[in-house]
Amino acid sequence: MMVTLLGATTLVLVTLAPWVLSAAAGGKNLKSPQKVEVDVIDDNFILRWNRSEESVGNVTFSFDYQKPEMDNWIKLPGCQNMTSTKCNFSSLKLNIYDEIKLRIRAEKENTSSWCEVDSFTPFRKAQIGPPEVHLEAEDKAIVIYISPPGTEDSVMWALDRSSFTYSLVIWKNSSSVEERIENIYSRHKISKLSPETTYCLKVKAALLTSRKIGVYGPVHCIKTTVENELPPPENIEVIVQNQNYVLKWDYTYANMTFQVQWLQKPGNHLYKWKQIPDCKNVTTTQCVFPQNTFQKGIYLLRVQASDGNNTSFWSEEIKFDTEIQASLLPPVFNIRSLSDSLHISIGAPKWSENKPVIQDYPLIYEILFWENTSKAERKIIKKKTDVTIPNLKPLTVYCVKARAHSMDEKLNKSSVFSDVVCEETKSGNTSKIWLIIGIFTVLLALPFVIYAVKVLLRCINYVFFPSLKPSSNIDEYFSEQSLKNLLLSTSEEQIEKCLIIENISTIATVEETNQTDEDHKKYSSQTSEDSGNYSNEDESENKTSEELQQDFI
């Protein structure tokens, strides 16, 4: 119970400590500052706040800050013991992309509680300040030079100095009619003004990529000069012819010389105009220079006239975009002949110095080809630089030409056709095809050939080697009588095995005679087959045999 009571007493004392200290100091608790605001303009960090009624008098204000990686609060330099309601902490080195926290309190004999400011990221909070402007006057024009917001060593816009665009409002000092000009770069020339007239203008900057728009700067006024004796050239335009640019303009007087200068933009604010070598001291109202004079980019062109003693002001500047205004050059290609096709390899076009043209936008190719003896053209369109034209006739001359088209709809450009190149296709697989056809024909005809050979052999055998047939009486003999003799002979042999032989000599004679007859028959048969002659000896032999049998019986 005693421990609990002591704990409660300690808590009450701690809670009332600020009030006791305040009472001891003879004052009341100070209220925290109100409506604290942070303004970030370019690289300037400004804090503003309102003081409370109780803080009127010898009250000061102090700020602390905290970064994400910090656990403790640190005193904010430039914003300690401030007697005003404004302080600048631009000297603090911050990462403009990291979040920062701030807090403020009032201080007198005692201090107020801390008032925390909503955390913020400097770059997101930053506003674009007014740019610096410098003016130059001509008789009928004003040249405006604009420096990007911030300083040369600006941290806030270090990555965006070349990305600023500007807009301005201009009016005659004697009139309230304003003219707005949008999306200009850091150098701009306003033409077609009146001589000896005062004009006023104001400019603001913008970062379109970050969706930041600045505020207008102060008003600047300037008076145009007296009208010059020689007017500047007018109506300047650029056209494309083959691999060259042609710059044309109009001028009032004859017997003049002209020069042309160029400047790349947007670039930085240090403007150094350069002379186009092929357009210096020309006596005509045009000049021609190769396309490789400029790399890819946006340029300004201007023309000046001179009669030897007097010189005009520079003409109105025209914007020249190489990607839009430059023409597409025809492609260069090589042809390799195959049996029934042509293989085409397309390469980048080349300048007259044999340097390849670098084209950063995608292209498609239109290819026309035809037989050299015909005017019927066939067309194919391909995105690839390796193209094969199939199904062509062997040993035939084909002619090919090609041109390029931009795939970007905004550019919408096409080159002229290249020079015509002709190539003859090779013989290729024609002999193989005929060989296959011949083999197939032979295989089909082989059964018929075999059948015809067989028929022919039969005819030859029939004519030159006829079949050997015996005469009719021999045929009858072998067909009937021979069988009878064979049966009789067989029966006699069977009977002879059952008889009792009395006269051995007679039997021997008969057997010998029979054996002789059989040998004689065999010999007569062989002789007749070899010579082709036949006899009737069998009849006599049959008679003799019958007689012997009767005697034997």
Side-chain angles (χ1 to χ4, degrees):
M1 177 67 86
M2 183 62 69
V3 175
T4 304
L5 181 60
L6 289 174
T9 303
T10 303
L11 179 61
V12 172
L13 289 175
V14 172
T15 305
L16 296 178
W19 180 83
V20 172
L21 292 174
S22 177
K28 297 180 179 180
N29 283 335
L30 292 176
K31 288 186 178 181
S32 302
Q34 304 295 319
K35 296 182 179 179
V36 182
E37 295 181 356
V38 182
D39 292 331
V40 182
I41 301 176
D42 298 335
D43 291 275
N44 298 316
F45 293 78
I46 308 296
L47 277 169
R48 292 184 176 88
W49 63 91
N50 293 338
R51 66 174 71 228
S52 61
E53 295 178 359
E54 294 83 354
S55 62
V56 176
N58 297 326
V59 177
T60 60
F61 305 92
S62 297
F63 278 86
D64 288 352
Y65 76 96
Q66 188 182 52
K67 294 180 179 179
E69 68 275 7
M70 298 167 53
D71 295 328
N72 300 324
W73 291 86
I74 301 175
K75 291 183 178 182
L76 185 65
C79 295
Q80 298 298 314
N81 303 319
M82 302 297 298
T83 57
S84 65
T85 57
K86 176 183 177 181
C87 75
N88 187 322
F89 63 100
S90 303
S91 60
L92 180 63
K93 302 299 182 182
L94 295 173
N95 186 334
I96 61 174
Y97 303 104
D98 286 345
E99 195 176 64
I100 185 174
K101 293 181 180 180
L102 298 174
R103 68 181 184 179
I104 183 175
R105 72 180 177 181
E107 300 169 341
K108 198 175 182 181
E109 291 87 357
N110 53 17
T111 59
S112 70
S113 60
W114 287 104
C115 175
E116 290 194 15
V117 182
D118 292 337
S119 60
F120 65 95
T121 302
F123 184 78
R124 293 183 179 179
K125 188 77 173 178
Q127 296 178 345
I128 299 174
E132 293 184 6
V133 177
H134 174 70
L135 304 178
E136 290 182 1
E138 297 180 0
D139 58 349
K140 297 180 181 180
I142 295 175
V143 181
I144 306 168
Y145 295 91
I146 306 172
S147 298
T151 59
E152 287 289 339
D153 56 351
S154 173
V155 176
M156 190 65 67
W157 314 123
L159 301 178
D160 302 294
R161 288 181 66 82
S162 61
S163 302
F164 281 105
T165 59
Y166 306 93
S167 58
L168 62 83
V169 178
I170 185 171
W171 64 92
K172 288 184 180 179
N173 193 34
S174 59
S175 173
S176 59
V177 178
E178 297 180 342
E179 179 185 357
R180 296 180 181 272
I181 303 176
E182 303 287 343
N183 297 327
I184 63 175
Y185 291 100
S186 53
R187 184 190 182 280
H188 186 72
K189 185 174 184 177
I190 304 175
S191 303
K192 300 179 181 179
L193 302 179
S194 301
E196 301 182 84
T197 304
T198 301
Y199 291 87
C200 297
L201 57 85
K202 57 183 180 181
V203 182
K204 69 177 180 180
L207 274 177
L208 301 181
T209 54
S210 302
R211 298 182 180 180
K212 291 180 178 291
I213 299 176
V215 295
Y216 280 107
V219 175
H220 301 268
C221 295
I222 192 171
K223 185 178 181 179
T224 54
T225 64
V226 178
E227 186 173 4
N228 194 28
E229 182 178 350
L230 293 178
E234 297 178 337
N235 302 324
I236 302 172
E237 65 173 347
V238 180
I239 61 175
V240 179
Q241 288 183 355
N242 297 327
Q243 300 182 10
N244 299 316
Y245 293 123
V246 180
L247 183 67
K248 296 182 177 182
W249 59 87
D250 296 332
Y251 200 70
T252 307
Y253 305 128
N255 300 323
M256 304 292 291
T257 59
F258 304 92
Q259 63 173 333
V260 181
Q261 291 183 343
W262 63 271
L263 175 70
Q264 188 172 11
K265 59 183 304 187
N268 55 35
H269 62 281
L270 299 176
Y271 304 99
K272 294 182 180 179
W273 288 85
K274 297 181 181 180
Q275 181 73 43
I276 298 179
D278 298 329
C279 299
K280 186 177 182 179
N281 297 328
V282 295
T283 56
T284 60
T285 56
Q286 71 172 32
C287 71
V288 181
F289 52 96
Q291 289 190 26
N292 60 353
T293 302
F294 300 116
Q295 297 179 351
K296 179 182 177 181
I298 301 174
Y299 298 84
L300 295 177
L301 300 178
R302 66 181 185 179
V303 185
Q304 187 182 57
S306 175
D307 63 359
N309 298 321
N310 299 318
T311 302
S312 71
F313 285 111
W314 288 99
S315 67
E316 182 179 356
E317 299 158 4
I318 64 167
K319 186 171 71 172
F320 174 69
D321 190 337
T322 58
E323 188 172 7
I324 295 177
Q325 293 180 268
S327 65
L328 286 179
L329 297 179
V332 176
F333 60 89
N334 295 319
I335 299 179
R336 184 164 59 92
S337 176
L338 302 176
S339 58
D340 59 348
S341 61
L342 294 176
H343 181 76
I344 302 175
S345 298
I346 302 175
K350 296 183 179 180
W351 301 110
S352 56
E353 297 87 355
N354 205 31
K355 296 180 180 179
V357 179
I358 300 175
Q359 295 172 329
D360 298 329
Y361 37 85
L363 300 174
I364 57 175
Y365 300 97
E366 177 185 353
I367 301 172
L368 297 181
F369 64 97
W370 63 94
E371 292 185 22
N372 193 31
T373 57
S374 172
K375 294 183 179 180
E377 295 181 346
R378 286 180 280 177
K379 179 173 69 176
I380 57 175
I381 296 178
K382 296 288 185 180
K383 294 181 181 179
K384 299 180 179 179
T385 55
D386 288 330
V387 181
T388 300
I389 304 177
N391 303 323
L392 302 180
K393 298 177 181 178
L395 299 176
T396 304
V397 177
Y398 286 89
C399 296
V400 181
K401 63 180 180 179
R403 66 175 176 176
H405 301 278
S406 170
M407 295 180 63
D408 191 342
E409 296 180 356
K410 295 181 180 179
L411 298 178
N412 192 23
K413 293 190 297 185
S414 300
S415 72
V416 297
F417 277 104
S418 65
D419 296 333
V420 176
V421 178
C422 296
E423 188 75 18
E424 183 181 13
T425 54
K426 296 181 178 180
S427 58
N429 298 325
T430 306
S431 58
K432 294 182 180 180
I433 293 174
W434 283 110
L435 178 61
I436 293 172
I437 293 175
I439 293 173
F440 185 73
T441 304
V442 169
L443 291 176
L444 288 178
L446 187 60
F448 299 98
V449 172
I450 293 174
Y451 179 77
V453 170
K454 286 184 176 182
V455 172
L456 181 62
L457 290 175
R458 288 178 181 178
C459 294
I460 293 173
N461 290 332
Y462 181 79
V463 173
F464 297 100
F465 305 99
S467 58
L468 301 177
K469 289 185 177 182
S471 60
S472 57
N473 54 358
I474 295 176
D475 188 36
E476 291 177 359
Y477 173 79
F478 278 107
S479 59
E480 296 180 1
Q481 191 64 35
S482 297
L483 291 175
K484 291 180 180 179
N485 293 336
L486 180 59
L487 293 174
L488 291 175
S489 147
T490 304
S491 59
E492 288 175 356
E493 290 176 356
Q494 292 175 354
I495 294 171
E496 288 175 354
K497 290 179 181 180
C498 298
L499 292 177
I500 297 173
I501 301 172
E502 294 180 355
N503 192 351
I504 297 173
S505 60
T506 305
I507 295 173
T509 304
V510 172
E511 287 178 354
E512 185 179 355
T513 304
N514 291 337
Q515 184 67 32
T516 302
D517 293 339
E518 290 177 358
D519 293 338
H520 183 266
K521 287 181 180 179
K522 290 179 181 181
Y523 175 77
S524 300
S525 174
Q526 291 176 356
T527 305
S528 63
E529 287 178 358
D530 292 337
S531 60
N533 298 321
Y534 303 95
S535 62
N536 295 325
E537 293 176 352
D538 291 338
E539 295 178 358
S540 59
E541 289 175 356
N542 289 335
K543 292 179 180 180
T544 306
S545 178
E546 290 177 356
E547 292 174 358
L548 289 174
Q549 289 178 359
Q550 290 176 0
D551 294 336
F552 179 76
I553 294 172

